Amino acid sequence: MHGWRLAWQLARRFRRGRERSRFLSFISASSTVGIALGCAVFIAGLSVMNGFADVLQQRFLKLVPHIEFTAVEGHLQYPEAIFELAAEHPEVVSARPVIRTQGLVQKGREFVGVQLTGVDPMREHAIQDYMSPASWQALEQEGAIILGADLAQRLELSQGDKLTLVVASEEGFQAPKRQTLTLAGTFKFGGQVDHQLGYVNLTTARELTGLEHGISGVELEVSALFAAERIANEIGYQLRDYVYLDHWMRAQGHLYRDIQMVRTVMYLVLILVLAVACFNIVSTLVMTVQEKQRHIGVLRTMGMRGSGLVKIFVLQGLQNGLLGVSFGAVAGILLSWNLPTLLALLESLTGNTLLASDVYFVDRIPVQLHALDVVWVCAVALVLSLLATLYPAWQATRVEVVKAISA
């Protein structure tokens, strides 16, 4: 223990010695700054990746059906069988009937595409959390429709206004159906959803699609998101209806895979960037060995062994690494906490939108800081700092005492 304490004190004297050249001090400082910047940037970057993954799982997948069974033709013959199997399955949270179609909303001479979903207002739906309770209750009225806030704003529509919905006929090459609906309210979810989606009740959806009775599909919400495919197969293979089996990994799984791929690439880049920063530690210690040869010779004549010299230079390199990691971790945490504010300020100054809500599934940069990521980044930086000290420390043990003292 006494040996490590002495080595730590000598390492501090070597690192802060007044006789150090300015160039050596610059190289030493650059290694510390490089490690700090690398840690800060990657902590912030990983926090952004965490934010995107969280938004995908906790918000976006609330509206995207985890599992959906859709009739191959017309309506489902035995929808009650799906509800019974869903109620019996331990990993299914809820099941709800839907009718889906696509149409064009006409306002004057402008036509805007909309993905329309017929829902049962008497059943809970995630979208009702993003609108007023009065709007959701008004959806029970026949001929009522709820649109995304951005879509309604684009069409200059407000609650109570009439609009014309044009839906293609599913029976041959007949003229499209036109129906006048009343805007019962709007919802504000964020991202593409507010520009593309609309909701009506099941009765209105049947009139639009020409479906006389029944429903065209059933949505399931599951507790284990990444088991959606397995659950869909377990239930789907027991049905008497011919149905299309669909799940979120097939429709939106590319978003999750892209996030995970970027995260993996960031880990690799983290190691490479920190490795480059740690090369400055190698340069600093090699130059320190050359500059401190006389001191090394004196220590050897006083009885210090080679292992003692190794400790000194390893600890000197680790001091640079610890300093850089400490500043980098603090800077990374502060940057992560304030990144949304900084990006909003940048958008206001430049007038450019970083994430256009009609293109991306979010309209702001999400950030979620995980303590494990901070620990991981700091650990990688410290390990690389330690590895960078091994060669210069070994070189210090090879200094010839007589030449060093006489130098």
Side-chain angles (χ1 to χ4, degrees):
M1 191 70 180
H2 179 72
W4 281 104
R5 184 181 302 173
L6 176 62
W8 179 267
Q9 293 175 352
L10 290 173
R12 288 187 63 186
R13 291 181 65 88
F14 281 6
R15 194 171 70 86
R16 297 183 177 182
R18 295 181 180 178
E19 66 276 10
R20 297 180 72 187
S21 65
R22 291 183 179 179
F23 181 71
L24 183 57
S25 298
F26 172 77
I27 296 296
S28 178
S30 65
S31 66
T32 302
V33 172
I35 294 172
L37 287 176
C39 291
V41 169
F42 283 102
I43 288 173
L46 292 174
S47 298
V48 171
M49 292 298 102
N50 294 334
F52 275 108
D54 182 70
V55 168
L56 176 65
Q57 295 183 33
Q58 302 300 326
R59 293 189 69 249
F60 188 65
L61 290 183
K62 283 187 176 181
L63 300 188
V64 174
H66 298 168
I67 298 172
E68 186 171 12
F69 300 106
T70 309
V72 174
E73 207 172 304
H75 64 278
L76 293 172
Q77 299 291 330
Y78 308 100
E80 64 278 358
I82 301 178
F83 290 108
E84 291 175 3
L85 291 170
E88 295 172 358
H89 200 287
E91 294 175 286
V92 176
V93 177
S94 64
R96 50 182 177 261
V98 293
I99 298 175
R100 295 189 186 278
T101 188
Q102 295 183 352
L104 296 172
V105 178
Q106 182 180 4
K107 178 67 175 178
R109 295 183 178 181
E110 186 176 8
F111 289 86
V112 180
V114 60
Q115 298 177 11
L116 208 60
T117 302
V119 297
D120 183 359
M122 302 303 293
R123 295 174 180 261
E124 290 187 0
H125 196 286
I127 194 61
Q128 70 185 91
D129 295 334
Y130 301 93
M131 66 179 73
S132 66
S135 297
W136 182 253
Q137 292 176 1
L139 194 62
E140 298 178 9
Q141 303 173 7
E142 188 173 347
I145 185 173
I146 294 177
L147 297 177
D150 291 332
L151 179 58
Q153 183 179 6
R154 176 179 175 181
L155 295 169
E156 298 180 352
L157 294 172
S158 57
Q159 188 172 357
D161 288 351
K162 301 291 184 179
L163 58 92
T164 301
L165 188 67
V166 181
V167 180
S169 174
E170 298 182 3
E171 301 177 359
F173 295 95
Q174 297 184 10
K177 298 180 181 179
R178 290 176 177 267
Q179 185 162 339
T180 301
L181 302 177
T182 303
L183 184 63
T186 61
F187 63 88
K188 184 66 177 178
F189 181 82
Q192 291 178 328
V193 172
D194 294 345
H195 294 265
Q196 298 178 349
L197 296 190
Y199 292 88
V200 296
N201 59 38
L202 291 176
T203 302
T204 304
R206 290 190 185 102
E207 294 178 1
L208 292 171
T209 59
L211 200 65
E212 295 182 359
H213 60 277
I215 55 176
S216 62
V218 175
E219 293 180 354
L220 301 185
E221 181 183 352
V222 298
S223 57
L225 287 175
F226 298 102
E229 183 176 4
R230 172 179 57 80
I231 298 171
N233 292 334
E234 290 174 356
I235 296 177
Y237 292 154
Q238 301 180 60
L239 300 178
R240 289 182 291 171
D241 267 314
Y242 288 104
V243 297
Y244 292 116
L245 293 179
D246 202 5
H247 50 85
W248 77 271
M249 286 296 291
R250 181 179 298 166
Q252 306 293 339
H254 65 281
L255 294 174
Y256 180 79
R257 288 190 293 269
D258 289 347
I259 292 171
Q260 295 306 311
M261 182 184 68
V262 172
R263 186 181 180 88
T264 301
V265 171
M266 285 193 67
Y267 277 125
L268 295 176
V269 174
L270 163 66
I271 294 175
L272 293 176
V273 169
L274 291 180
V276 171
C278 288
F279 272 123
N280 285 333
I281 294 180
V282 178
S283 303
T284 301
L285 294 182
V286 168
M287 295 175 65
T288 301
V289 170
Q290 296 296 323
E291 192 177 68
K292 303 293 185 180
Q293 283 194 16
R294 191 168 184 178
H295 296 77
I296 294 171
V298 172
L299 291 173
R300 291 300 298 272
T301 58
M302 294 175 65
M304 179 172 284
R305 296 181 180 179
S307 59
L309 290 174
V310 170
K311 291 178 185 178
I312 292 173
F313 287 97
V314 166
L315 291 176
Q316 183 180 346
L318 279 180
Q319 286 175 6
N320 282 353
L322 284 170
L323 193 60
V325 166
S326 300
F327 281 114
V330 172
I333 292 171
L334 294 176
L335 180 61
S336 299
W337 286 343
N338 296 282
L339 190 59
T341 303
L342 294 175
L343 292 177
L345 178 62
L346 179 63
E347 287 183 346
S348 64
L349 292 176
T350 61
N352 297 323
T353 303
L354 296 177
L355 294 178
S357 59
D358 57 342
V359 177
Y360 302 99
F361 71 94
V362 293
D363 54 5
R364 61 181 179 82
I365 299 292
V367 176
Q368 189 173 72
L369 181 64
H370 288 172
L372 186 60
D373 288 330
V374 178
V375 173
W376 170 251
V377 171
C378 293
V380 170
L382 288 176
V383 169
L384 291 176
S385 299
L386 175 62
L387 294 177
T389 64
L390 297 181
Y391 173 74
W394 175 73
Q395 283 289 96
T397 63
R398 302 188 63 189
V399 173
E400 296 183 12
V401 178
V402 176
K403 290 184 178 180
I405 294 177
S406 61

